[in-house]
Amino acid sequence: MGLFGILGMVAAFGLGVYLGLPRRQELSIDEIQQKLSEDGEHAKATRHMTFFNLLQRKVEKGSERRRRQSSNRDRRPFQTY
């Protein structure tokens, strides 16, 4: 790994930190207080499908669905009466 590789990694890290910083506030404190005091519908967060969502998505198997349905009937195997 040469000098350019190390400098490239440092530059990539710096760019990631810069892009991860919170954005500057464009509204004044009075405008923010006015918006917070208003009644009404607030904006909802929109969900976006990303590559990481595909990796973390839990795929539910048919056996898990059946197991969850049977647990609602209070069935416990090997239970003696």
Side-chain angles (χ1 to χ4, degrees), residues 13-25:
F13 178 75
L15 180 66
V17 169
Y18 173 74
L19 292 176
L21 291 174
R23 303 291 172 227
R24 294 190 53 85
Q25 192 62 260

Side-chain angles (χ1 to χ4, degrees), residues 5-66:
I6 294 172
L7 289 177
M9 284 190 270
V10 170
F13 178 75
L15 180 66
V17 169
Y18 173 74
L19 292 176
L21 291 174
R23 303 291 172 227
R24 294 190 53 85
Q25 192 62 260
E26 297 177 358
L27 298 176
S28 69
I29 300 295
D30 295 330
E31 291 172 331
I32 294 172
Q33 287 295 332
Q34 180 185 5
K35 291 218 179 257
L36 288 175
S37 66
E38 292 176 0
D39 290 334
E41 200 65 28
H42 292 286
K44 304 247 180 192
T46 57
R47 303 287 181 193
H48 299 286
M49 182 58 72
T50 63
F51 176 71
F52 294 111
N53 291 0
L54 292 174
L55 292 176
Q56 294 177 347
R57 184 174 59 172
K58 181 183 174 207
V59 178
E60 189 177 25
K61 299 177 189 172
S63 60
E64 292 172 351
R65 284 193 299 271
R66 288 189 299 273

